[in-house]
Amino acid sequence: TLIEMADIGNDATTATLDKAKRKTLVSLASSLELHVSSTKGFQSAMVTSGGVHLGEVNRKTMESNKAKGLFFCGEMLDYDGESGGYNLQAAFSTAYLAVQSVH
């Protein structure tokens, strides 16, 4: 849909996009509003693993140890645990820490 909105042909590749088309595509993607219309409910909620290594993040603030002012939370972090809400709680808790630490 974004490709169509940017008036980019289906046969285009990243290498063939000119600067103007790339800017149009980035602008469309960054301003696109998505609205959740439904979920499968809490019983079907799942969390994935992988992401930013915990050693690269200040665990008290969730700020990157490599890039000042960059904060991580939730599934952006490399942690996983038992299903049943534990990962969701970790996501909520890390988000809270990050928000409290942003100046």
Side-chain angles (χ1 to χ4, degrees), residues 6-9 16-27:
D7 196 30
I8 298 171
T16 63
L17 291 182
D18 62 26
K19 188 174 185 176
K21 290 291 185 186
R22 286 194 311 267
K23 281 188 168 189
T24 299
L25 192 54
V26 168
S27 177

Side-chain angles (χ1 to χ4, degrees), residues 63-83:
E63 185 173 22
S64 169
N65 293 332
K66 294 186 172 188
K68 186 168 177 55
L70 178 63
F71 294 82
F72 298 103
C73 65
E75 292 186 13
M76 298 172 87
L77 298 164
D78 184 17
Y79 66 81
D80 52 5
E82 297 291 328
S83 293

Side-chain angles (χ1 to χ4, degrees), residues 1-33:
T1 300
L2 288 175
I3 298 297
E4 187 177 304
M5 290 171 67
D7 196 30
I8 298 171
N10 289 337
D11 58 338
T13 65
T14 304
T16 63
L17 291 182
D18 62 26
K19 188 174 185 176
K21 290 291 185 186
R22 286 194 311 267
K23 281 188 168 189
T24 299
L25 192 54
V26 168
S27 177
L28 286 168
S30 62
S31 64
L32 184 66
E33 289 187 27

Side-chain angles (χ1 to χ4, degrees), residues 25-98:
L25 192 54
V26 168
S27 177
L28 286 168
S30 62
S31 64
L32 184 66
E33 289 187 27
L34 301 174
H35 301 277
V36 176
S37 60
S38 66
T39 69
K40 291 183 178 181
F42 189 78
Q43 295 301 321
S44 296
M46 296 299 264
V47 182
T48 60
S49 64
V52 177
H53 189 276
L54 295 177
E56 297 177 6
V57 178
N58 179 328
R59 294 181 191 203
K60 292 184 179 183
T61 65
M62 304 317 298
E63 185 173 22
S64 169
N65 293 332
K66 294 186 172 188
K68 186 168 177 55
L70 178 63
F71 294 82
F72 298 103
C73 65
E75 292 186 13
M76 298 172 87
L77 298 164
D78 184 17
Y79 66 81
D80 52 5
E82 297 291 328
S83 293
Y86 301 107
N87 283 349
L88 291 172
Q89 181 59 55
F92 300 146
S93 297
T94 56
Y96 178 83
L97 287 171

